[in-house]
């Protein structure tokens, strides 16, 4: 059966549309980058990952290589079509053009199949590894060790802002979990803030101020006021005092009933010592650098979120949200 010029054009158009969609499709993965690191910022601007595991990085390189092979296959298809259209009825040239076209088309089908397989494997790896979360901590040490992404298979604490405690006494503890923690289990002893073995009076609540029964970001505000003429809205721990935070594996639950998990990476005990100052000024100069304003978001796409702000004491956490859609990501 002979391939007419009309059918050849139809095939070429379909192939170009398919590979065009392949070439333009965005492939972004969530990552948290230290805005003070010039090298990391440069890498992100260049489209390179600065927060992924080696496995995911290799898979992404393979996918990129397959994308280039797809473009090369299209070039050969176009070349074969050009040879066919300019053959002038010469049988040898027609056969040569058809051979180039057929071989390139078969190669493109193989490349697209390989791309789909790599996409599937990469999606599974990204989900299994919690989008490349990097963590570092020590038992009983200060928090702030996670990126807020957490583990996709465990209920763990990914951040607590004890790093800010040394300077101020009106510290508002902020806990960021990998899953939504229930307030009922927290208030039942799931989280205890203690001084010299005695529980500190205070209130646990969602960081966003809502009345939700569970949340990934939970704040603890001590009951005692700061005194010395400070506003009644300011609540303080004792100045220069040592405190311990305890999380219970048997009591603390997430919204699906899963128990909290402690291990060397995600400890159950944190110590902190307060300062003497009272911080009454909030962060300033909020700048969202990613995603860019007006950039599209596609179904099942993971977009990088990055923002920068300045505070005289420190920034405890950052919450990203969609207008009228609630919180989508909490970074500690």
């Amino acid at each position: 059966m002979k391939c007419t010029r009309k059918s050849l054009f139809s095939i070429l158009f379909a192939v170009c549309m398919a590979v065009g969609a392949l070439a333009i499709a965005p492939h972004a993965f969530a990552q948290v980058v230290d805005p003070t690191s010039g090298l990391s910022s440069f890498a992100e601007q260049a489209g390179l990952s600065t927060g992924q595991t080696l496995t995911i990085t290799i898979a992404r390189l393979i996918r990129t290589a397959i994308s280039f092979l797809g473009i090369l296959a299209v070039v050969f298809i176009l070349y074969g079509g050009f040879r066919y259209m300019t053959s002038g009825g010469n049988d040898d040239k027609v056969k040569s053009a058809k051979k180039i076209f057929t071989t390139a088309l078969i190669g493109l089908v193989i490349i697209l199949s390989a791309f789909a397989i790599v996409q599937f494997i990469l999606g599974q790896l990204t989900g299994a590894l919690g989008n490349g979360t990097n963590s570092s901590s020590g038992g009983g040490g200060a928090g702030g060790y996670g990126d807020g992404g957490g583990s996709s298979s465990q209920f763990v604490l990914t951040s607590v802002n004890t790093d800010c405690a040394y300077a101020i006494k009106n510290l508002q503890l902020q806990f960021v979990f990998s899953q939504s923690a229930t307030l009922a289990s927290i208030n039942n002893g799931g989280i205890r803030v203690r001084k010299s073995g005695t529980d500190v009076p205070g209130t646990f609540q969602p960081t966003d101020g809502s009345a939700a029964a569970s949340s990934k970001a939970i704040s603890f505000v001590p009951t005692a006021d700061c005194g010395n003429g400070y506003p009644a809205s300011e609540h303080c721990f004792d100045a220069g005092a040592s405190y311990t935070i305890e999380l219970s594996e048997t009591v603390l639950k997430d919204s699906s009933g899963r128990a909290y998990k402690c291990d060397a990476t995600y400890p159950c005990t944190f110590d902190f010592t307060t300062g003497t100052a009272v911080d009454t000024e909030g962060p300033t100069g909020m700048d969202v650098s990613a995603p860019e304003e007006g950039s599209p978001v596609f179904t099942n796409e993971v977009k990088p979120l990055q923002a920068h702000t300045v505070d005289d004491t420190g920034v405890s956490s950052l919450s990203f949200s969609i207008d009228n859609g609630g919180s989508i990501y909490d970074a500690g």
Side-chain angles (χ1 to χ4, degrees):
M1 181 174 155
K2 293 185 178 180
C3 179
T4 65
R5 286 178 170 81
K6 183 176 180 181
S7 63
L8 180 62
F9 272 125
S10 300
I11 295 174
L12 284 173
F13 178 76
V15 169
C16 289
M17 290 295 290
V19 176
L22 176 67
I24 330 174
H27 307 294
F29 290 87
Q31 54 189 306
V32 177
V33 180
D34 181 2
T36 63
S37 171
L39 187 60
S40 295
S41 298
F42 174 80
E44 181 160 325
Q45 291 298 322
L48 302 175
S49 172
T50 58
Q52 299 297 331
T53 64
L54 179 61
T55 305
I56 293 179
T57 300
I58 293 174
R60 293 184 66 183
L61 290 174
I62 294 173
R63 184 182 58 189
T64 302
I66 292 176
S67 299
F68 280 116
L69 289 176
I71 296 173
L72 187 62
V74 171
V75 171
F76 275 102
I77 289 174
L78 294 176
Y79 175 67
F82 174 77
R83 289 284 300 272
Y84 179 83
M85 298 301 295
T86 58
S87 62
N90 185 298
D91 288 340
D92 291 336
K93 290 184 178 181
V94 169
K95 289 180 180 179
S96 175
K98 285 184 177 180
K99 184 176 181 180
I100 294 173
F101 180 83
T102 304
T103 304
L105 190 59
I106 293 173
L108 182 62
V109 171
I110 296 174
I111 290 169
L112 290 175
S113 300
F115 185 87
I117 293 171
V118 172
Q119 281 287 86
F120 173 77
I121 294 175
L122 184 56
Q124 296 300 311
L125 286 174
T126 303
L129 298 177
N131 292 332
T133 297
N134 291 321
S135 303
S136 60
S137 66
Y145 57 87
D147 69 356
S151 168
S152 60
S153 60
Q154 294 180 337
F155 174 40
V156 296
L157 181 70
T158 61
S159 174
V160 59
N161 62 330
T162 51
D163 285 343
C164 298
Y166 75 96
I168 59 176
K169 61 179 181 178
N170 63 327
L171 174 69
Q172 184 178 107
L173 290 172
Q174 296 184 19
F175 303 86
V176 179
F177 294 93
S178 61
Q179 314 292 338
S180 292
T182 60
L183 283 174
S185 67
I186 292 173
N187 290 322
N188 194 36
I191 302 178
R192 304 176 71 179
V193 181
R194 316 188 79 189
K195 177 187 175 185
S196 301
T198 302
D199 289 346
V200 177
T203 303
F204 288 100
Q205 61 189 24
T207 299
D208 61 7
S210 69
S214 63
S215 175
K216 284 188 176 181
I218 300 290
S219 295
F220 174 80
V221 181
T223 301
D225 58 37
C226 296
N228 296 326
Y230 287 108
S233 58
E234 296 294 338
H235 298 271
C236 286
F237 290 95
D238 294 340
S242 296
Y243 292 86
T244 299
I245 301 171
E246 298 175 358
L247 295 94
S248 172
E249 288 187 291
T250 58
V251 179
L252 186 56
K253 309 285 185 181
D254 68 5
S255 55
S256 65
R258 181 166 26 192
Y260 179 75
K261 175 66 177 177
C262 295
D263 57 28
T265 304
Y266 305 102
C268 274
T269 303
F270 299 90
D271 298 324
F272 68 95
T273 301
T274 56
T276 58
V278 176
D279 181 20
T280 58
E281 299 293 330
T284 59
M286 173 67 71
D287 175 36
V288 178
S289 54
E292 294 182 1
E293 185 174 358
S295 64
V297 178
F298 300 96
T299 303
N300 295 328
E301 178 190 9
V302 184
K303 292 287 286 187
L305 304 175
Q306 189 173 34
H308 180 259
T309 188
V310 176
D311 187 74
D312 56 349
T313 301
V315 179
S316 297
S317 63
L318 184 63
S319 178
F320 291 88
S321 61
I322 300 177
D323 292 344
N324 302 319
S327 177
I328 58 172
Y329 186 79
D330 293 296

